[in-house]
């Protein structure tokens, strides 16, 4: 079954070498006296904690659930919540923000894992960082008989692709590759939105899910960024740039950073204009990475000349003034700027 | 010696104020002093304040005059800002103090140095106070021009316009104050276009002079779009350095003083309860930095406009009154390579850039657009 955990970051490699406890993927979470939930993908961590609660409820419906915030923890809370109760119900204690915990929490948690309670499951949510490292090291060294669940960030398009395929497979549904591609491009900014979209499709659509179904539900929605708009415009693709602009504005982009993106792109193009030195040599001089310089050179070859660059920069400067209050309609100002830039600055 | 001695080329304005200070029939209750930056608006305002508060009409030596010079006189309230705008709360507080009668002198004097830095809402707070101040309260506002103020303010004040002092006057003043050679003072006065403060800085601060020199040389070296973008980046750096030179030392000193006031040693960390104070101090310093950077850019734009004014003069065959005579060998080929129309366009573009920077457009973009205007060359 495809899962995101095999990709978990190599940055934690050193810590893992010392770890003697099992490290599981988020979809394989099981109950243990201490469950350490690491990684920066918050919504996966939420799923883990919900899944642990459901597993415990399945065993005993009377399970007591306590949520504590490690940032404003008071001495003794953990001990009093974990101490055996009169009727011996199992207890689930979920501590959030362990990466920002106060000293009191750290002390109590370190003491608790030395002598865990057999009826209690302690879930520690640590989103990354060095705070509480001693506690993490102890747990990873096997104190308290814990397990670690890694919720690595779902970042690249490939990760998102794998994640959505797994979502459908888990509930025994099938989806065509084209439909997955359409879904991922419609929800490219946040993994939790992607997960919700998958859940929505599974609940509403019957049978196999193909591109037609995705189109019906999320038709035309494409999340795009200011960079894509600028990329289209400088390579002369006027129509694509205008469509991308509308998508960007609809999915939350602000006019001001869009103009700033155009400005920085054109600025770099002008800086490398007519300079035959290698990208490595130029990098320091123009203040950009070599790949950006190569990209700017490719853009320049699509039809730019010097008077065009001049007019494009003048029009961007005007648009910047306009989106900052000099005109009433910021979107029109941007469209006008795109017209000029996509026409390589010609009339 | 008298308080009027340090002002150059403003004989007419001085004689009006002297009459007003000595003859209560000629004394209006609200005054507005307008004139170009560096012509001595605020100095004149305080000289007038001294003349009103001093028992011998502005001797410059008595305790009253010295207290005015130190802005500590009990009957003087002064408002100036190191930020971009004057806040409405500051003005409200000033209006309240203006209602009190004088304590030791015959008058209570209220000075607002940067009256052009008030937004409309803030200006409106002043209207009532300016129109009918209590007996003995005299308002003095300073602004670059009457157009910077609301018509409702303009109609409530008596306006006194300052003239641009001649280069010769400014140079003589600087020689008298700092003792530099006349040639150095004359060049600085010319480069600063009679701005007394700027000219003094150019004479006494080598770095400031070097920054101006680089600004002019860079602007004249622009040949194509690519140069224009690089020069714009460099100009912004120059302005930032200039602004930092003025604020950095002050910032560090203020933080140190605040730490001392709270009894914190250098190595102590700031306790949570005191952080808010330091944060608000940082915010204030940040606002001052914004203003300072804008002023730095403004100085550069003024220098550039003098350059393109010279270019235009050369193109029209006028050789008198060139400001940047020292750069004539660079100016002449530059003027020959440009049409007069382009030179005029650049002058307009400089004004546009000033407006845009004031309107929060990214400074580097505004400067790029300005420098780019100068790139079209006449066919050789």
């Amino acid at each position: 079954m495809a899962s995101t955990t095999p990709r978990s970051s190599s940055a934690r490699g050193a810590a893992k070498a010392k770890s003697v406890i099992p490290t599981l993927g988020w979809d394989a979470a099981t109950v243990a006296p201490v469950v350490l939930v690491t990684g920066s993908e918050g919504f996966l961590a939420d799923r883990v904690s919900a899944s642990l609660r459901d597993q415990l409820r399945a065993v005993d419906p009377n399970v007591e659930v306590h949520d504590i915030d490690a940032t404003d923890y008071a001495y003794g809370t953990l001990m009093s919540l974990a101490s055996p109760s009169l009727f011996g119900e199992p207890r689930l204690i979920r501590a959030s923000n362990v990466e920002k915990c106060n000293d009191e929490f750290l002390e109590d948690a370190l003491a608790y894992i030395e002598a865990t309670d057999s009826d209690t499951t302690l879930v520690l949510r640590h989103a990354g960082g060095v705070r509480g490292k001693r506690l993490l090291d102890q747990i990873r060294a096997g104190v308290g008989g814990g397990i670690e669940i890694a919720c690595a960030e779902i970042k690249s398009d490939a990760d998102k692709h794998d994640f959505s395929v797994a979502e459908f497979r888990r509930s025994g549904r099938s989806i065509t590759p084209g439909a997955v591609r359409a879904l991922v491009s419609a929800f490219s900014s946040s993994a939790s939105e992607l997960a919700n979209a998958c859940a929505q499709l599974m609940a509403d659509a019957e049978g196999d899910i193909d591109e037609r179904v995705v189109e019906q539900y999320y038709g035309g929605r494409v999340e795009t960024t200011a960079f894509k708009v600028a990329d289209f415009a400088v390579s002369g693709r006027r129509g694509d740039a205008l469509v991308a602009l509308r998508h960007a504005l609809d999915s939350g982009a602000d006019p001001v950073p869009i103009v700033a993106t155009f400005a920085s792109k054109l600025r770099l193009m002008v800086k490398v204009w007519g300079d035959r030195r290698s990208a490595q040599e130029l990098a320091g001089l123009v203040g950009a990475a070599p790949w950006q310089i190569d990209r700017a050179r490719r853009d320049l070859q699509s039809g730019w000349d010097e008077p065009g660059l001049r007019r494009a920069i003048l029009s961007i400067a005007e648009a910047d003034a306009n989106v900052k209050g000099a005109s009433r309609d910021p979107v029109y100002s941007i469209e006008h700027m795109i017209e000029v830039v996509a026409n390589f600055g010609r009339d | 010696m008298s308080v009027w001695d340090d002002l150059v080329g403003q004989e007419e304005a001085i004689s009006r104020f002297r009459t007003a200070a000595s003859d209560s029939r000629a004394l209006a209750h609200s005054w507005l002093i307008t004139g170009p930056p560096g012509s001595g608006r605020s100095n004149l305002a305080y000289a007038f304040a001294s003349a009103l508060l001093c028992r011998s009409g502005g001797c410059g030596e008595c305790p009253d005059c010295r207290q005015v010079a130190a802005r500590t006189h009990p009957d003087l309230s002064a408002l100036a800002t190191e930020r971009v705008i004057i806040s409405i709360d500051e003005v409200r507080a000033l209006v309240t103090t203006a209602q009190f009668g004088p304590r030791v002198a015959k008058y209570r004097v209220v000075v607002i140095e940067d009256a052009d830095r008030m937004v409309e809402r803030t200006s409106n707070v002043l209207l009532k106070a300016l129109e009918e101040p209590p007996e003995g309260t005299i308002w003095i506002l300073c602004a670059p021009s009457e157009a910077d103020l609301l018509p409702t303010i303009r109609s409530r004040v008596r306006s006194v316009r300052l003239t641009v002092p001649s280069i010769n006057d400014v140079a003589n003043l600087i020689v008298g104050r700092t003792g530099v050679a006349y040639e150095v003072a004359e060049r600085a006065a010319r480069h600063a276009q009679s701005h007394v403060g700027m000219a003094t800085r150019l004479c006494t601060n080598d770095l400031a002079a070097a920054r101006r020199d680089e600004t002019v040389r860079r602007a004249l070296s622009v040949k194509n779009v690519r140069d224009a973008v690089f020069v714009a980046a460099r100009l912004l750096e120059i302005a930032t350095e200039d602004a930092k030179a003025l604020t950095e030392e002050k910032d560090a000193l203020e933080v140190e003083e605040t730490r001392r006031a709270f009894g914190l040693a250098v190595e102590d960390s700031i306790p949570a309860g005191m952080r808010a104070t330091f944060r608000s101090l940082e915010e204030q310093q940040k606002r001052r930095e914004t203003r300072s950077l804008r002023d730095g850019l403004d100085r550069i734009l003024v220098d550039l406009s003098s350059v393109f004014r010279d270019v235009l003069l050369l193109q029209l065959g006028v050789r008198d009154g060139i400001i940047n005579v020292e750069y004539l060998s660079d100016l002449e080929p530059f003027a020959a390579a440009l049409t007069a129309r382009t030179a005029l366009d650049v002058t307009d573009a400089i004004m546009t850039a000033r407006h845009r920077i004031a309107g929060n457009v990214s400074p580097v973009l505004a400067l790029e657009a300005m420098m780019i205007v100068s790139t079209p060359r006449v066919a050789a």
Side-chain angles (χ1 to χ4, degrees):
Chain A
M1 179 155 138
S3 140
T4 54
T5 44
R7 290 176 194 278
S8 55
S9 65
S10 58
R12 280 210 318 275
K16 275 200 170 159
K18 283 185 293 178
S19 181
V20 298
I21 57 171
T23 304
L24 308 171
W26 66 269
D27 44 4
T30 55
V31 176
V34 179
V35 182
L36 176 62
V37 184
T38 55
S40 53
E41 195 64 81
F43 99 97
L44 287 184
D46 292 344
R47 280 193 174 186
V48 168
S49 104
S51 132
L52 289 173
R53 184 198 57 208
D54 294 344
Q55 289 178 38
L56 285 168
R57 280 220 174 117
V59 177
D60 183 345
N62 292 324
V63 64
E64 277 177 26
V65 181
H66 300 282
D67 286 310
I68 54 180
D69 186 346
T71 50
D72 54 4
Y73 177 85
Y75 268 128
T77 314
L78 192 57
M79 303 311 173
S80 69
L81 293 178
S83 57
S85 67
L86 185 58
F87 302 107
E89 294 104 342
R91 284 169 302 278
L92 171 63
I93 304 172
R94 300 188 290 200
S96 56
N97 293 329
V98 178
E99 73 279 4
K100 290 182 274 189
C101 67
N102 57 15
D103 291 340
E104 288 87 344
F105 179 83
L106 206 56
E107 214 169 289
D108 270 8
L110 280 165
Y112 175 77
I113 59 169
E114 295 284 347
T116 54
D117 182 272
S118 56
D119 290 333
T120 302
T121 303
L122 174 64
V123 180
L124 299 170
R125 167 76 186 114
H126 193 283
V130 290
R131 180 83 185 137
K133 186 171 179 301
R134 200 149 55 94
L135 177 62
L136 264 57
D137 285 348
Q138 289 280 308
I139 295 172
R140 281 176 182 150
V143 181
I147 56 167
E148 177 171 355
I149 295 172
C151 303
E153 199 180 347
I154 303 175
K155 211 170 179 184
S156 71
D157 274 357
D159 282 348
K160 285 180 188 138
H161 188 272
D162 292 348
F163 171 76
S164 7
V165 171
E167 285 284 288
F168 285 96
R169 250 192 235 153
R170 197 169 303 114
S171 12
R173 301 288 293 270
S174 68
I175 179 164
T176 62
V180 177
R181 266 199 303 279
L183 253 184
V184 170
S185 73
F187 296 92
S188 60
S189 64
S190 146
S192 73
E193 276 188 37
L194 179 59
N196 285 337
C198 293
Q200 175 99 53
L201 275 184
M202 285 186 275
D204 290 358
E206 289 179 0
D208 286 356
I209 291 160
D210 55 16
E211 279 153 296
R212 201 184 47 76
V213 180
V214 177
E215 170 69 20
Q216 188 183 344
Y217 278 85
Y218 303 111
R221 180 190 157 98
V222 177
E223 277 192 349
T224 187
T225 60
F227 295 102
K228 272 192 189 155
V229 184
D231 286 346
F232 282 134
V234 294
S235 50
R237 293 164 66 181
R238 172 176 162 276
D240 289 334
L242 288 174
V243 171
L245 170 68
R246 287 294 166 177
H247 281 308
L249 291 171
D250 285 348
S251 47
D254 190 76
V256 173
I258 294 180
V259 177
T261 312
F262 270 76
S264 72
K265 207 161 172 64
L266 262 291
R267 182 172 304 133
L268 184 59
M269 284 163 61
V270 171
K271 280 182 174 177
V272 302
W273 169 258
D275 198 319
R276 304 212 168 277
R277 279 175 285 180
S278 79
Q280 268 74 20
E281 276 176 88
L282 270 176
L285 182 69
V286 302
W291 68 265
Q292 289 173 307
I293 294 172
D294 289 334
R295 174 89 213 226
R297 285 194 166 137
R298 268 205 310 282
D299 290 335
L300 279 169
Q301 279 163 9
S302 47
W304 287 95
D305 59 9
E306 194 173 334
L309 289 170
R310 181 186 304 136
R311 284 201 32 149
I313 289 198
L314 290 177
S315 122
I316 294 171
E318 199 184 335
D320 199 31
N322 286 345
V323 296
K324 285 172 180 165
S327 103
R328 274 199 201 157
D329 188 349
V331 176
Y332 170 76
S333 313
I334 296 189
E335 279 178 355
H336 185 69
M337 171 186 80
I338 288 178
E339 296 275 352
V340 175
V341 173
N343 204 21
F344 307 120
R346 296 191 195 108
D347 284 320
Chain B
M1 187 190 161
S2 104
V3 286
W4 308 104
D5 290 351
D6 251 8
L7 299 153
V8 283
Q10 311 297 354
E11 287 71 24
E12 203 193 315
I14 291 175
S15 81
R16 278 187 78 180
F17 281 127
R18 291 190 95 140
T19 319
S22 54
D23 178 3
S24 61
R25 278 172 307 172
L27 181 62
H29 50 66
S30 306
W31 296 80
L32 169 65
I33 306 175
T34 58
S39 56
R41 291 183 310 244
S42 52
N43 290 342
L44 191 59
Y46 289 116
F48 184 36
S50 277
L52 289 170
L53 298 174
C54 166
R55 283 173 195 101
S56 41
C59 59
E61 279 154 359
C62 67
D64 282 325
C65 288
R66 269 183 271 143
Q67 279 176 331
V68 171
R71 313 282 183 262
T72 53
H73 195 282
D75 290 330
L76 171 76
S77 316
L79 183 57
T81 187
E82 290 177 318
R83 291 173 291 165
V84 175
I85 57 161
I86 294 180
S87 80
I88 193 161
D89 293 331
E90 289 170 314
V91 176
R92 282 196 182 123
L94 201 63
V95 167
T96 312
T97 50
Q99 302 303 317
F100 302 143
R103 264 168 262 183
V104 292
K106 261 168 78 185
Y107 302 101
R108 165 167 291 278
V109 182
V110 188
V111 179
I112 302 184
E113 281 188 40
D114 311 288
D116 54 315
R117 292 192 180 273
M118 294 186 291
V119 296
E120 191 176 330
R121 200 162 75 95
T122 312
S123 302
N124 286 338
V125 173
L126 279 177
L127 293 177
K128 181 81 181 124
L130 278 182
E131 186 160 17
E132 286 178 348
E135 182 129 14
T137 294
I138 308 291
W139 285 87
I140 310 172
L141 312 185
C142 306
S145 87
E146 286 175 28
D148 291 324
L149 297 169
L150 294 180
T152 43
I153 297 267
R154 291 206 295 267
S155 67
R156 282 165 167 79
V157 293
R158 184 170 300 177
S159 187
V160 177
R161 293 194 191 98
L162 302 190
T163 51
V164 180
S166 75
I167 287 167
N168 194 23
D169 285 349
V170 176
N172 282 326
L173 178 79
I174 293 174
V175 170
R177 271 191 199 164
T178 63
V180 294
Y182 178 80
E183 292 75 47
V184 178
E186 189 270 340
R187 191 183 61 204
R190 185 157 38 77
H191 283 174
Q193 297 173 57
S194 297
H195 186 308
V196 178
M198 246 345 268
T200 315
R201 193 154 173 250
L202 285 178
C203 281
T204 53
N205 186 332
D206 288 343
L207 284 174
R211 280 189 207 109
R212 185 183 193 279
D213 179 62
E214 196 186 342
T215 306
V216 174
R217 286 191 194 287
R218 294 257 176 187
L220 292 175
S221 73
V222 172
K223 289 189 182 61
N224 53 36
V225 174
R226 187 162 183 258
D227 294 345
V229 169
F230 277 108
V231 168
R234 180 61 198 147
L235 289 183
L236 182 61
E237 268 171 39
I238 294 176
T240 316
E241 283 165 18
D242 203 14
K244 277 229 175 93
L246 290 172
T247 56
E248 219 160 47
E249 218 171 291
K250 238 191 227 171
D251 287 354
L253 203 68
E254 278 175 2
V255 171
E256 198 185 304
E257 271 173 10
T258 315
R259 291 186 79 103
R260 204 172 40 230
F262 278 123
L264 294 170
V266 184
E267 67 280 1
D268 288 347
S269 64
I270 299 166
M274 298 177 187
R275 264 180 220 144
T277 312
F278 284 90
R279 218 173 304 132
S280 79
L281 179 66
E282 262 170 42
E283 265 165 33
Q284 269 178 28
Q285 290 180 342
K286 189 116 206 293
R287 290 210 189 103
R288 185 165 69 198
E289 215 179 294
T290 313
R291 159 85 186 268
S292 191
L293 177 62
R294 283 199 189 161
D295 288 355
L297 286 168
D298 219 53
R299 280 193 284 278
I300 282 184
L301 295 180
V302 169
D303 289 341
L304 290 181
S305 70
S306 80
V307 170
F308 284 92
R309 172 190 170 279
D310 289 350
V311 167
L312 195 62
L313 285 183
L314 287 173
Q315 286 171 333
L316 300 174
V318 182
R319 308 198 59 95
D320 273 356
I322 300 279
I323 293 172
N324 300 288
V325 179
E326 287 74 17
Y327 304 92
L328 210 53
S329 58
D330 291 326
L331 277 168
E332 274 172 341
F334 193 82
L338 241 59
T339 60
R341 191 193 157 148
T342 307
L344 270 177
D345 283 347
V346 178
T347 318
D348 283 348
I350 293 172
M351 292 320 288
T352 313
R354 273 179 107 160
H355 284 301
R356 283 183 178 164
I357 290 169
N360 224 3
V361 167
S362 118
V364 68
L365 189 54
L367 291 175
E368 280 166 2
M370 177 188 81
M371 292 312 300
I372 275 176
V373 175
S374 75
T375 54
R377 290 289 183 268
V378 288

